[in-house]
Amino acid sequence: MVSASKLQKIEYGDFQTPPELAEQVCQKLIEIGIQPDVIIEPTCGVGNFIQASAKAFPSARKIFGFEINATYFEQLANDNQLITDPRIQIEQGDFFQLDWEAFTKTIDGKILVLGNFPWVTNAQQGVITGKNLPLKTNFQSHQGFDAMTGKSNFDISEWMLIRIIQGLQKRPSALAMLCKTSVSRKLLNYLFTQKLNLKYCATYQIDAKKHFGAIVDACLLFCTFEPETHHYFCDVFDRLDSSSYSRIGYEEGILIKDLNTFQKLKDLSDPNPKKQWRSGIKHDCAKVMILHKTDGGYLNGFREVIELEETLIFPFMKGSDVAQGRIEGGDRFVLITQQSIHESTELIQMLAPKTWNYLESCAKQLEARKSKIYQNAPRFSIFGVGSYTFAPWKIAICGLYKKLHFQLIGPRNHKPVIFDDTVYFLAFEDQQTADRTFALLTSAFATDFYHSLIFWDEKRPIKTSILNRLNLEVLAQRLNNITQTDG
């Protein structure tokens, strides 16, 4: 059982910034020329950023701190160092109830918003029934399948950063916030898509394990804003005291990890690709659908041996198998109930009556699947299935692993291999075409191109939008020209 204190830490994303890190952040801000008139710490916790900024910026006229946690607020209210500094004003307040745009309008001079927002997602809050979160709106405007299957999940800090930045848009101001690195990029994307003001952006990597005991990629996000200024790039420093950096930014409407490399290979970029990478199937009921072959039939996840027709049974490969090169043999199989999305499953009764009886015996588990994609769909439906699923030859890669490792996979016992939904693949009807494409994808040009686009610290770094971006025809021509020149 999770303790009350642990739940509270999760609910409030309670990773208090150590005093030494708060001081280092303020020192960095001084080095890059930040001299605010007013400092705002919207979630000040135990007050380490308040104290560090008061010391680092003696010319600041006012320092505001806000904190929702009653225990922390009482601690701050009795802190002699804070009480004796007339510039410091601490208030107990809920970030989500405050009108930050109206508040910043009341302030004269240059504003610096400084601090460390909660490191927690709205989904994590839902698990513990936490209330320290904004109203549940799809604020990123995800549509259709994305909104139903998890892309509408977001870090609370992302929402908070957006609200603060909206309040800083109409005046020269600066923001310096500790956050997950993935959140910093989402914020840059939001600024770009909404065409909001941004003068400069940089991130400085921090050691989250050392400072917070958290295994996550984190950074200091630094932004400056001026009216009618739109510079949508970000300089990426590998630590707070580093002077060298790489630059991420937008080309052709997408965020590029390495602008220099991308510019050299820009001719390989195809915004409208003809060949599409697909994802494996989604069934959300592994104990029913994933099977192991035995002498007496098939063994399901309930340790039941069942007798099924071979008609709808296919060899199956997980993303971990693909990523780790376990592509020969294997004893996993999957039950495929449809050949296309929304296809009726009633025909299974005639094609494979034993399989139909098995599905009916597992109806309770299958009907308990929570995803909206199964609502109003035929009984025993799956998702992510089409003619490409049954192509005999495939080039596959797992989206979850932090390496670019393509695998060429052919049929087993005259049946196509089926993947789970962590795998992306290209489908081919013949081996010769698959072989030629595999050679292209594993070339140095393709590797460099993809590395210029992939942010490896993301939960699922490899995406279809990135894989589709490579123009295989242009790449083939480029390699052919090099071969002719060498010859």
Side-chain angles (χ1 to χ4, degrees):
M1 177 180 255
V2 181
S3 67
S5 60
K6 177 69 172 178
L7 288 176
Q8 186 180 62
K9 179 163 184 164
I10 295 173
E11 178 170 1
Y12 289 97
D14 197 354
F15 290 91
Q16 294 298 312
T17 309
E20 63 272 16
L21 179 57
E23 291 169 6
Q24 291 169 17
V25 168
C26 290
Q27 184 58 41
K28 170 54 65 175
L29 295 174
I30 292 171
E31 289 174 9
I32 58 180
I34 299 302
Q35 290 295 331
D37 298 308
V38 177
I39 298 169
I40 302 171
E41 221 289 45
T43 54
C44 60
V46 298
N48 289 334
F49 264 119
I50 295 290
Q51 294 185 13
S53 61
K55 181 179 178 180
F57 301 105
S59 62
R61 299 194 309 267
K62 196 73 177 178
I63 301 173
F64 292 98
F66 297 86
E67 179 52 43
I68 188 174
N69 187 303
T71 301
Y72 290 159
F73 177 73
E74 184 177 354
Q75 182 178 333
L76 293 168
N78 293 296
D79 188 313
N80 288 330
Q81 184 175 345
L82 301 182
I83 295 172
T84 56
D85 190 332
R87 301 174 301 161
I88 298 175
Q89 180 177 329
I90 308 294
E91 296 183 14
Q92 186 172 12
D94 183 349
F95 179 97
F96 305 113
Q97 300 299 321
L98 292 172
D99 186 337
W100 292 100
E101 188 170 358
F103 175 68
T104 56
K105 283 182 179 178
T106 66
I107 297 172
D108 293 325
K110 295 176 290 184
I111 293 176
L112 168 64
V113 178
L114 178 69
N116 181 8
F117 283 144
W119 294 18
V120 64
T121 67
N122 64 322
Q124 289 170 311
Q125 288 279 32
V127 168
I128 65 166
T129 63
K131 297 180 173 59
N132 185 42
L133 74 171
L135 292 175
K136 292 186 177 180
T137 60
N138 184 7
F139 78 101
Q140 297 153 316
S141 301
H142 286 304
Q143 301 295 320
F145 185 59
D146 285 348
M148 288 190 288
T149 58
K151 286 193 176 180
S152 54
N153 183 30
F154 61 93
D155 284 88
I156 300 297
S157 61
E158 180 186 352
W159 190 95
M160 298 169 85
L161 282 164
I162 286 172
R163 293 297 174 266
I164 285 293
I165 284 174
Q166 289 171 340
L168 300 177
Q169 282 292 290
K170 297 178 181 180
R171 59 190 305 156
S173 53
L175 175 142
M177 278 285 174
L178 298 175
C179 65
K180 297 177 186 177
T181 304
S182 59
V183 168
S184 70
R185 289 197 296 271
K186 290 176 183 177
L187 185 68
L188 182 61
N189 183 66
Y190 184 84
L191 290 164
F192 172 75
T193 56
Q194 301 299 313
K195 297 297 180 277
L196 298 180
N197 298 327
L198 177 64
K199 182 181 180 182
Y200 179 73
C201 180
T203 60
Y204 299 85
Q205 186 175 347
I206 63 168
D207 188 339
K209 182 69 169 63
K210 172 185 174 182
H211 294 298
F212 300 104
I215 302 174
V216 63
D217 286 293
C219 66
L220 169 67
L221 169 65
F222 172 72
C223 300
T224 59
F225 305 96
E226 278 190 3
E228 308 304 322
T229 306
H230 307 98
H231 298 155
Y232 302 118
F233 64 83
C234 180
D235 291 338
V236 179
F237 298 81
D238 59 9
R239 59 183 190 277
L240 276 172
D241 61 353
S242 177
S243 59
S244 60
Y245 62 89
S246 60
R247 176 168 288 186
I248 66 174
Y250 285 85
E251 284 280 346
E252 301 177 349
I254 63 171
L255 185 60
I256 307 298
K257 183 197 175 202
D258 183 345
L259 282 170
N260 290 334
T261 300
F262 182 81
Q263 289 291 345
K264 297 173 185 175
L265 301 171
K266 193 174 180 178
D267 61 312
L268 301 181
S269 178
D270 187 358
N272 301 297
K274 298 181 180 65
K275 199 162 187 63
Q276 294 285 332
W277 287 80
R278 306 287 185 174
S279 62
I281 64 160
K282 183 178 179 66
H283 52 72
D284 294 318
C285 205
K287 286 189 175 183
V288 173
M289 308 297 269
I290 305 302
L291 309 166
H292 294 265
K293 201 162 192 176
T294 68
D295 292 338
Y298 287 97
L299 180 70
N300 67 13
F302 302 105
R303 308 304 296 174
E304 301 167 338
V305 177
I306 49 179
E307 186 179 347
L308 302 172
E309 299 89 349
E310 296 293 324
T311 312
L312 305 179
I313 305 298
F314 293 83
F316 179 71
M317 191 177 293
K318 296 176 65 176
S320 56
D321 298 324
V322 173
Q324 296 175 27
R326 299 191 296 262
I327 61 174
E328 300 296 334
D331 66 343
R332 286 194 189 92
F333 294 82
V334 63
L335 172 55
I336 300 293
T337 57
Q338 296 166 295
Q339 292 191 2
S340 60
I341 296 174
H342 302 310
E343 178 187 51
S344 172
T345 56
E346 296 296 323
L347 284 176
I348 298 176
Q349 297 181 71
M350 293 184 294
L351 292 173
K354 293 178 182 177
T355 302
W356 180 260
N357 290 337
Y358 169 64
L359 289 168
E360 286 208 310
S361 73
C362 299
K364 182 178 180 180
Q365 289 85 359
L366 290 165
E367 290 168 2
R369 294 178 294 180
K370 294 181 179 180
S371 176
K372 291 182 179 179
I373 61 176
Y374 304 113
Q375 294 180 8
N376 302 317
R379 293 183 76 194
F380 318 134
S381 284
I382 58 178
F383 199 84
V385 63
S387 59
Y388 47 85
T389 306
F390 305 97
W393 289 91
K394 299 181 175 84
I395 296 173
I397 190 168
C398 181
L400 298 179
Y401 282 68
K402 300 181 186 300
K403 59 182 178 179
L404 199 66
H405 195 184
F406 296 102
Q407 301 285 358
L408 178 60
I409 299 169
R412 289 183 191 166
N413 297 322
H414 309 292
K415 279 195 168 185
V417 174
I418 309 299
F419 306 111
D420 69 19
D421 62 352
T422 68
V423 173
Y424 302 121
F425 65 92
L426 289 176
F428 304 88
E429 293 301 324
D430 64 276
Q431 183 178 357
Q432 187 178 20
T433 305
D435 286 338
R436 287 199 303 267
T437 306
F438 186 72
L440 293 174
L441 288 169
T442 53
S443 68
F445 284 124
T447 299
D448 289 346
F449 178 80
Y450 281 136
H451 275 287
S452 75
L453 298 176
I454 297 172
F455 291 93
W456 292 107
D457 60 330
E458 293 186 353
K459 183 177 180 180
R460 190 182 289 236
I462 300 171
K463 305 176 178 67
T464 54
S465 58
I466 291 174
L467 294 169
N468 285 332
R469 201 80 188 186
L470 177 62
N471 190 320
L472 293 168
E473 293 179 3
V474 174
L475 175 58
Q477 186 59 52
R478 180 186 270 227
L479 291 172
N480 185 54
N481 291 340
I482 293 174
T483 301
Q484 291 177 354
T485 301
D486 291 343

